[in-house]
Amino acid sequence: MIVTLTRDDGGAWTGRRGRVDAGLLAEVGWPADIAPRCFLCGPTPFVEAASAALVELGHDPSNIRTERFGPTGA
């Protein structure tokens, strides 16, 4: 498991920082050529961005499973 902090914590965190993007997924994720099943869960903007990054990296969209939570706007 790779933990990355996306928000400022006042400096206590010494691990990975930054958004989950294509660069991070390419560095720490499974390569697309082994056809892994990818599971994403989170707020809609995160899920949309991460799934788009996986597709950009060559992952088959049919192997990407998503679940969203948070406000629906309704």
Side-chain angles (χ1 to χ4, degrees):
M1 174 185 351
I2 304 297
V3 177
T4 184
L5 186 68
T6 59
R7 296 188 181 165
D8 185 16
D9 72 336
W13 178 254
T14 59
R16 177 183 293 279
R17 292 179 178 272
R19 306 296 288 173
V20 175
D21 59 13
L24 173 68
L25 294 170
E27 182 181 339
V28 302
W30 297 101
D33 63 349
I34 65 169
R37 178 118 349 126
C38 303
F39 294 88
L40 299 169
C41 181
T44 296
F46 165 76
V47 170
E48 294 298 321
S51 60
L54 288 168
V55 171
E56 177 185 326
L57 291 169
H59 289 267
D60 184 339
S62 68
N63 284 337
I64 301 170
R65 303 290 191 260
T66 62
E67 181 177 338
R68 293 158 176 82
F69 62 78
T72 62

